[in-house]
Amino acid sequence: MKKILCIGAALLTSLVFADPSQININTKEKPVTNGWADMGEIRYASENIIIISDATYSSAEKKLKAFTNAIASGSTSSSSVNDKEALIILSGTVDLSGGKVNDKDHSYFDEFDPQTHKRLHNDFMYDIGSNKTIIGVNNAKVAYGGLRIRAKEGFEAKNVIIRNIIFWDAHGSTEYDTSVSQYSSKKASADQLVIEGGEDKSTKSRYLYIPENIWIDHCSFSDGLCVDLDRNYNHDGALDVKCAKNVTISFCEFTNHDKVTLSGSSDKFTDPAEREITFHDNYYHGCVQRMPRTRGGYFHLYNNVFDNIGTKNNSGASLGPGVGAQFIVENNFFGKHAGYILRANDNSKPGSPTFYKIYANGNEPELKGSNAEGFTSHKVDQKPWKVPYKYTLKTAAEAKSSVVKEAGAGASVIIDGKAY
């Protein structure tokens, strides 16, 4: 039996998301993300507006089908993933499991073949097409499953905006039953939101197809009422970005989760140009590790807040730079950590082109050998790459004050002057 705890309503106060008050959207203007996404052709969809709400759909099943069709195809009647432009406004909750999972009952994912011990049910995962804008209103929530932006042969996966959505408990299972000793180390594979591409199968060291121009903003990520921070039996990534160009992740809240963001799925992926990601004004608390864990890429982290990171049995670390990574870390607030703030994940040797580099300045506290494992040998005095977009820094203290209040889903939304 998996060691997983589902907590009761009495502890819900630790999972209350911040209220950023209001999001005002003008679809006729190019959004400004103050990050890598500004370097791509990112834009709001505006011509094809689809509202998914309880008032529009008479049952949870019909609402699920309409939503998953719309984010894939720009139509509520087709599930074919395409590049048709669509602005999808989600109101309230969508149960991605179709009623098979809820906060109190996750037994659907505790079923294994008694002979092979292999899982009987796959994760609930739905694809997002290109040119899709997804905006949440009225505490919009996607629960008990995950969403995916995936580039592959014949499909580019470009121009996706997701704002003001709660990603809640993408519950899944391990590949095999971990209560059987030979499978005790198996991991879960359920992601809340994942951005991925098509690998070159011949080399397995680069991506042939890479998503581009993506903005994830004012979203909240949590494992809901389930707590498995010591060992992720039922959850994998909160927001994984295995490969992508021109990505901004801003004003998001991450809580009650172990492995938050993986970028680069193995040490074979060392090319920085395959991962261009900005993390700014995000609030990480009650998490354990991977904020982010990376391989090769151009990563910019500024004005984020990290607090209450790690557990007694799983100390973790906020930052996990690995082989080929090029980090710029500015004006972040690092609060309570059970272990290190940073833990190095680079086996290459000093002087190697894949030896990761990190520039850190203005953080509170500043990174140093005592709080950042392996930091000293990797730090550089100049930024390892030129930031090509405009951004404004708060001090770390200012970030601590503002980001906790502003990050996360739950805002009221005005689109082109109309309140939703």
Side-chain angles (χ1 to χ4, degrees):
M1 183 67 66
K2 298 189 182 75
K3 297 177 181 178
I4 174 126
L5 172 66
C6 290
I7 64 178
L11 295 183
L12 263 175
T13 52
S14 65
L15 301 174
V16 174
F17 300 111
D19 180 6
S21 186
Q22 187 178 94
I23 293 175
N24 201 324
I25 295 171
N26 182 346
T27 63
K28 302 301 188 291
E29 295 180 354
K30 180 179 178 179
V32 177
T33 74
N34 301 118
W36 265 111
D38 293 344
M39 306 312 298
E41 296 179 3
I42 191 168
R43 65 188 185 282
Y44 288 111
S46 61
E47 301 300 324
N48 178 25
I49 300 175
I50 302 172
I51 299 176
I52 308 293
S53 69
D54 293 335
T56 309
Y57 295 94
S58 58
S59 69
E61 181 181 6
K62 290 181 179 179
K63 186 177 183 182
L64 168 62
K65 186 174 182 180
F67 175 72
T68 55
N69 282 350
I71 64 173
S73 70
S75 167
T76 59
S77 60
S78 172
S79 61
S80 177
V81 181
N82 61 34
D83 59 4
K84 181 180 179 180
E85 184 174 302
L87 170 58
I88 299 106
I89 301 172
L90 173 64
S91 175
T93 298
V94 167
D95 178 359
L96 297 181
S97 79
K100 296 180 175 65
V101 174
N102 59 59
D103 283 335
K104 296 181 180 179
D105 184 3
H106 302 84
S107 58
Y108 182 81
F109 284 113
D110 291 332
E111 299 179 22
F112 298 88
D113 185 291
Q115 302 300 320
T116 66
H117 308 295
K118 188 174 178 64
R119 68 189 294 188
L120 294 182
H121 305 296
N122 292 324
D123 302 330
F124 298 106
M125 182 64 65
Y126 296 92
D127 286 324
I128 301 172
S130 293
N131 303 319
K132 305 299 188 289
T133 299
I134 305 171
I135 305 294
V137 300
N138 300 322
N139 294 311
K141 178 192 291 184
V142 292
Y144 317 123
L147 304 182
R148 176 172 56 201
I149 303 168
R150 178 172 56 172
K152 57 185 178 179
E153 186 176 4
F155 186 73
E156 294 182 319
K158 293 183 177 182
N159 189 36
V160 176
I161 297 172
I162 304 175
R163 304 187 71 185
N164 209 37
I165 299 287
I166 299 169
F167 289 84
W168 182 265
D169 190 10
H171 211 91
S173 184
T174 52
E175 184 181 1
Y176 288 86
D177 186 354
T178 57
S179 66
V180 179
S181 59
Q182 68 206 75
Y183 302 118
S184 62
S185 63
K186 291 296 182 181
K187 301 176 181 179
S189 58
D191 295 322
Q192 293 178 309
L193 177 60
V194 60
I195 304 169
E196 61 186 22
E199 293 183 20
D200 183 343
K201 299 300 183 182
S202 63
T203 65
K204 296 183 179 180
S205 63
R206 62 176 182 144
Y207 285 93
L208 295 177
Y209 314 102
I210 300 176
E212 296 183 28
N213 312 332
I214 298 167
W215 186 25
I216 313 299
D217 178 68
H218 278 102
C219 290
S220 295
F221 296 81
S222 170
D223 291 346
L225 302 190
C226 287
V227 179
D228 55 351
L229 298 181
D230 289 347
R231 170 74 163 83
N232 59 323
Y233 288 104
N234 294 96
H235 306 91
D236 195 7
L239 171 50
D240 281 1
V241 188
K242 296 180 180 178
C243 71
K245 296 183 178 182
N246 299 331
V247 177
T248 303
I249 299 167
S250 58
F251 290 98
C252 289
E253 181 183 17
F254 300 86
T255 189
N256 187 29
H257 195 88
D258 180 4
K259 298 178 178 178
V260 177
T261 295
L262 174 68
S263 190
S265 52
S266 83
D267 283 351
K268 294 181 179 179
F269 295 97
T270 60
D271 183 358
E274 292 186 346
R275 281 157 288 277
E276 300 170 338
I277 311 171
T278 303
F279 302 83
H280 76 80
D281 294 275
N282 300 297
Y283 180 30
Y284 302 87
H285 62 110
C287 297
V288 176
Q289 59 189 308
R290 299 186 178 183
M291 295 167 264
R293 162 73 168 100
T294 71
R295 273 84 179 193
Y298 297 118
F299 302 100
H300 188 193
L301 292 84
Y302 71 89
N303 290 150
N304 301 288
V305 174
F306 305 81
D307 200 16
N308 191 25
I309 304 302
T311 70
K312 179 180 179 181
N313 298 319
N314 190 11
S315 61
S318 286
L319 308 183
V323 58
Q326 309 288 305
F327 265 62
I328 298 174
V329 182
E330 299 179 288
N331 296 38
N332 301 279
F333 176 79
F334 296 106
K336 181 181 178 182
H337 283 66
Y340 291 102
I341 294 172
L342 178 151
R343 179 162 287 159
N345 292 276
D346 188 351
N347 293 322
S348 55
K349 297 179 179 180
S352 166
T354 62
F355 196 65
Y356 91 76
K357 298 177 181 178
I358 181 168
Y359 169 85
N361 187 55
N363 303 291
E364 184 181 327
E366 284 292 3
L367 299 180
K368 53 187 178 181
S370 60
N371 63 25
E373 182 185 62
F375 171 74
T376 304
S377 61
H378 292 270
K379 68 176 182 178
V380 293
D381 295 330
Q382 301 294 325
K383 295 177 182 179
W385 50 277
K386 184 178 179 180
V387 178
Y389 47 82
K390 294 181 179 179
Y391 67 102
T392 301
L393 290 173
K394 310 179 184 81
T395 66
E398 289 169 341
K400 177 187 176 183
S401 175
S402 65
V403 170
V404 172
K405 299 175 184 178
E406 298 173 10
S412 60
V413 175
I414 297 176
I415 303 176
D416 294 334
K418 180 179 180 181
Y420 285 86

